[in-house]
Structures are given as structure tokens and as C-alpha cells.
Amino acid sequence: MKTQVGIVGAGPAGLVLSHLLAQAGISNAVLEMHTRPYIEERVRAGVLEQGTVDLLNELGLGERMMRQGLMHYGIELRFEGRGHRIDFADLTGGKGVMIYAQHEVIKDLVSARLAMEGEIVFEAREVCVDRIESEKPVIRFVKNGVAQELECNFIAGCDGFHGICRDSIPKGVLKIHDRDYPFGWLGILAEAPPASHELIYVNHERGFGLMSMRSPKVSRLYLQCKPDEELSEWPDERIWEELQKRFSTRDGFSLTEGPVIQKGVTGMRSFVVEPMQFGRMFLAGDSAHIVPPTGAKGLNLAVADVRVLAAGLKEFYSSGKRELLERYSEICLRRVWKVQRFSWWMTSLLHRFSNDNEFDRRRQLAELDYVTSSRAAATTLAENYVGLPLE
Ligand SMILES: Cc1cc2nc3c(=O)[nH]c(=O)nc-3n(C[C@H](O)[C@H](O)[C@H](O)COP(=O)(O)OP(=O)(O)OC[C@H]3O[C@@H](n4cnc5c(N)ncnc54)[C@H](O)[C@@H]3O)c2cc1C
């Protein structure tokens, strides 16, 4: 097999890149280790920045998202039993975010790519990359028990945090920046209409809470928990009881309860590798960086990376120039670090840390008071949440 760009991983990064390249007339093939149903049902992120929404529409992939997604123009920050709305539209000149589940985005991207006869190899096993420093890198994999080789000009490592591309870069090249958090999120999907039409972020003395949604009938709710929390200790009744305590207000708010259809624990970390490229391989999305989910940025950052990569590849194939490709890491990392900062800040604003003392608690509440009472501070939150402009 031969193609211009070999893409490892059919997550948001790999699939959006495949569409951007196809639109520019650049041949590409995507190799994915899982089955199509698996990646189309995997429950993950759900908040799309304005720039991500605009890109999906520009690519002609946004029809179902515009019909079924929920456009939001604000969020609520809730602390000390009171809610405070951050009005994105007012603070950012009309911008908002789209609530549309990541696995629905994946379904739209896969079906459109296959309809254009794009190449996506599902269940590609034992994927490995080789000769990444040469002009002719290669991706090897096994499909249906048969060993295969994909020769390409460039490789895009879009294979997520646990993929193989990052680790294929020789030792000593990458600098790793890492931070773990002393908590995780216990998340549920529930067949229960959301109790509010916008997301609610709660800072409560018992810990963080988030009420989000997937549709007008399905809520997505999270609780701060231990990083190694045992799900077996959390029967549905206990989850609802804890959620009701954290979301309670002085005027008697209560969440709508319903059957829990999915639950899981997600760890929290911040992680960045520098640079995001080596030889003819470029890392994009979670393979190069992870953010804690509090700022709802993981998917959006993956999409921002591949926009830069697609522009660089387009420049190379149309003019032979490599300027943009050579600056890929530098351009992406400027955004990555700003998004890391925002995600860390939202996390530290809203969670209880195990070593918090009374001073830390009062300082955190003062910061929440400031963010919800100063237009300048609220604007900082809003412009980061809807997404910083793309370079
Ligand atoms: C449980 C969970 C919940 C999350 N919740 C949120 C959230 O609420 N908000 C938010 O903003 N972000 C969230 N995220 C993060 C967000 O989903 C990711 O940032 C986003 O998926 C990144 O996209 P990606 O394409 O870079 O990587 P991924 O989506 O991880 O895609 C990588 C793809 O590569 C494939 N792959 C891996 N290894 C190989 C291999 N060796 N060979 C071939 N294919 C391979 C994988 O199967 C996968 O399909 C969550 C992540 C997880 C894991």
C-alpha cells in the first residue's frame, strides 16, 4: 500500500486530518486498531468550541450536529449554594459552544469519509512505524492475520495517549512535562432530562460536581472522587445522593434522577511533550498532550493541531516549501500551553485538594467571587471556554 500521509488512529485528530487532507487533494489512509462500532460508541467528550463547530460545517460535516446538537451561550458556576451565570455571548461578541457527543462526531466523520471512498482500516493490529527519519517512512500492521506495509511521505501520530507513535521517537528527543491530580471524576450517563438547560460547574465543600447533557433527555453528570475509586462502592442510589448534596442550593434546586445507563472513573492529568514532531512524523491530539477535562478542551485541542498540520502539508504539496511543517510544534505548542493553563486553572478553581487548609478554601471562594463579579475576570474565562482564536 502507498499513500502520501499515513495516519495512525481514527479519533477526532486522525479523522479530521483525513478530511482536511482529502479536501486539499492529498491522499491518506487511516489505520485504527479497534472496530468501527467500538469507536462509534466510546463515550468521551461532549463540548465543541466555536472554532471546531465552524470547521466541521466548513468541511460539510456539520449537518447532524446542527440539527441534534445543543448550542450553549453560557455556563453556571455554583458555590456556597448560589448559581452565577457566565454569559459567553455577551462577553465574547456572540460566541458559544456546541454540546454534541464525541462519539456522534466520530460517526459523522467515519460515514462521510467512507462515503467518499476514503481509506480507513479498522482492526489494524500490531501497528508500528519505521524509518521516520527517512524520506520514505513506513507503517507496518497486521490485518486479518496478514502482515502489511503502508509506504508514505509523512506519518501523523493521532493514536491517543496510549498509542505507539510517541514511543517510537528515539529516547532523549522528547521533553515530557507532566502533572497528576490527587482526584478523578466518577461520571454517569443517565436517562434523565437535564435539570438546567446549561452546564453547571459546582465547587462544594464535599468536592467538585458537573452537570452536563447529551440530549434533552439524557444527562451526563460527574463527581470528584479518588483517582482509584472503586465503582463497586458506588451503587446508583449513592451516586444520586452525593450528586444531590453537591448541587443543592439555598432555594431548593434538585437534579432530575433517572436510570443510570453508563458509569466510569476518569483519571486527571496534564501532560505535554516537546517537540511534537520528529523526522517525518508529527504527533497530534492526545498522543502529544493531555488536559484535565474541566475546561472541556481535549477534543478541541486535537482538532486545532491537525488544522496546523493540514496547512503545513498543503503548503508542502502545493509549493514544496517546508516552512509551516518545520514550525508545526512551535505553532501548536503556543496554543497547547495556553489551553493547559486554562484547564489547570479551571481544575484548581473548582476542586477540593487533599492538602487544602482554611486559607486555601477562602482564597478559592474569593477567586470564584471575583470571576463571577468582575466583567474582566468573567471575560477571561469566557474567551478561553469558547476557544481562543486559531493562529
Ligand atoms: C474516558 C474519557 C473521557 C473524556 N472526557 C472528556 C470530556 O468530558 N471533555 C473533553 O474535552 N475531553 C474528554 N476526554 C478527552 C478527549 O476525548 C480526547 O482529548 C480526544 O479524544 C483526543 O482525540 P485524539 O484523536 O487525539 O485521540 P483519541 O480519541 O484517543 O483517538 C486515538 C485513536 O487511536 C487509536 N489507536 C491507539 N493506539 C493505536 C495503535 N497502536 N494502532 C492503531 N490505532 C490506535 C485509538 O483506538 C483511538 O481510536 C476524555 C477522554 C477519555 C479517555
Side-chain angles (χ1 to χ4, degrees):
M1 287 170 74
K2 273 190 184 168
T3 191
Q4 288 172 307
V5 182
I7 302 172
V8 186
L15 291 169
V16 171
L17 179 63
S18 176
H19 277 279
L20 285 167
L21 295 179
Q23 195 195 41
I26 300 169
S27 70
N28 66 87
V30 182
L31 304 180
E32 166 59 47
M33 66 191 284
H34 287 115
T35 62
R36 180 176 177 184
Y38 180 89
I39 64 163
E40 290 186 343
E41 298 302 330
R42 194 166 42 184
V43 176
R44 284 181 156 189
V47 177
L48 309 184
E49 288 177 359
Q50 185 79 58
T52 305
V53 171
D54 294 345
L55 177 72
L56 292 175
N57 281 326
E58 279 158 34
L59 285 167
L61 302 166
E63 188 272 324
R64 202 165 65 94
M65 168 185 75
M66 296 311 286
R67 223 170 357 99
Q68 296 179 3
L70 308 166
M71 200 64 202
H72 283 191
Y73 293 97
I75 54 167
E76 181 182 319
L77 295 184
R78 188 174 285 185
F79 55 98
E80 296 199 301
R82 288 204 179 90
H84 307 259
R85 184 166 188 263
I86 305 288
D87 186 334
F88 295 158
D90 175 41
L91 296 164
T92 65
K95 291 185 187 159
V97 291
M98 175 72 81
I99 308 301
Y100 188 61
Q102 178 167 330
H103 63 276
E104 302 296 343
V105 176
I106 296 289
K107 278 182 203 162
D108 297 344
L109 293 170
V110 168
S111 68
R113 200 65 204 100
L114 294 178
M116 295 171 199
E117 303 194 347
E119 180 95 60
I120 306 177
V121 180
F122 294 102
E123 297 180 83
R125 309 284 187 214
E126 298 173 42
V127 176
C128 65
V129 298
D130 199 7
R131 305 201 300 251
I132 48 181
E133 280 178 273
S134 77
E135 297 283 299
K136 285 192 181 162
V138 65
I139 309 178
R140 299 203 175 84
F141 61 101
V142 174
K143 173 72 186 171
N144 296 330
V146 181
Q148 311 222 21
E149 262 194 20
L150 176 65
E151 278 182 33
C152 34
N153 306 142
F154 296 98
I155 296 175
C158 301
D159 49 348
F161 185 67
H162 300 287
I164 48 95
C165 289
R166 190 178 63 243
D167 288 343
S168 311
I169 296 176
K171 293 226 171 334
V173 172
L174 299 180
K175 186 155 190 208
I176 292 173
H177 306 273
D178 206 359
R179 168 184 282 251
D180 282 327
Y181 295 84
F183 41 73
W185 281 10
L186 196 167
I188 60 165
L189 259 188
E191 278 172 357
S196 156
H197 69 284
E198 289 180 341
L199 271 63
I200 305 173
Y201 286 82
V202 180
N203 176 317
H204 190 274
E205 58 193 20
R206 297 176 69 87
F208 169 82
L210 170 61
M211 192 218 72
S212 178
M213 63 282 293
R214 288 296 180 257
S215 73
K217 291 184 182 158
V218 176
S219 298
R220 179 92 169 124
L221 293 138
Y222 298 96
L223 285 172
Q224 176 180 348
C225 63
K226 290 183 286 186
D228 53 354
E229 194 75 58
E230 284 290 337
L231 267 184
S232 56
E233 289 174 21
W234 286 88
D236 298 356
E237 311 74 61
R238 182 176 171 208
I239 295 176
W240 284 116
E241 198 183 313
E242 187 61 32
L243 283 166
Q244 294 292 11
K245 281 183 191 156
R246 295 195 196 180
F247 282 84
S248 64
T249 58
R250 294 172 191 219
D251 52 8
F253 174 92
S254 96
L255 292 163
T256 327
E257 297 188 18
V260 174
I261 46 181
Q262 198 256 352
K263 60 177 136 173
V265 172
T266 311
M268 310 268 281
R269 74 187 313 178
S270 303
F271 175 92
V272 183
V273 292
E274 292 181 328
M276 290 168 56
Q277 63 197 92
F278 179 73
R280 287 196 162 223
M281 185 167 78
F282 298 84
L283 302 177
D286 278 16
S287 71
H289 41 68
I290 296 279
V291 285
T294 329
K297 292 287 166 221
L299 181 160
N300 298 294
L301 201 49
V303 171
D305 286 350
V306 296
R307 285 178 93 136
V308 179
L309 183 52
L313 290 165
K314 214 166 140 182
E315 182 187 70
F316 175 81
Y317 283 110
S318 60
S319 68
K321 287 190 196 152
R322 292 177 187 230
E323 272 164 46
L324 255 182
L325 279 181
E326 279 165 11
R327 291 185 55 225
Y328 170 73
S329 275
E330 175 204 325
I331 296 171
C332 289
L333 284 165
R334 271 191 81 190
R335 185 182 189 86
V336 168
W337 278 111
K338 282 185 220 155
V339 170
Q340 287 288 357
R341 183 209 68 82
F342 176 67
S343 304
W344 165 85
W345 176 76
M346 283 284 279
T347 304
S348 52
L349 180 70
L350 293 163
H351 291 74
R352 299 305 311 271
F353 287 73
S354 44
N355 55 356
D356 276 358
N357 57 27
E358 188 56 21
F359 178 88
D360 296 320
R361 179 75 187 135
R362 298 296 288 267
R363 185 199 50 71
Q364 202 181 43
L365 290 172
E367 190 159 7
L368 281 161
D369 186 11
Y370 176 55
V371 168
T372 52
S373 58
S374 151
R375 187 172 175 88
T379 304
T380 298
L381 191 159
E383 70 177 4
N384 279 278
Y385 200 98
V386 300
L388 294 172
L390 290 153
E391 285 200 30

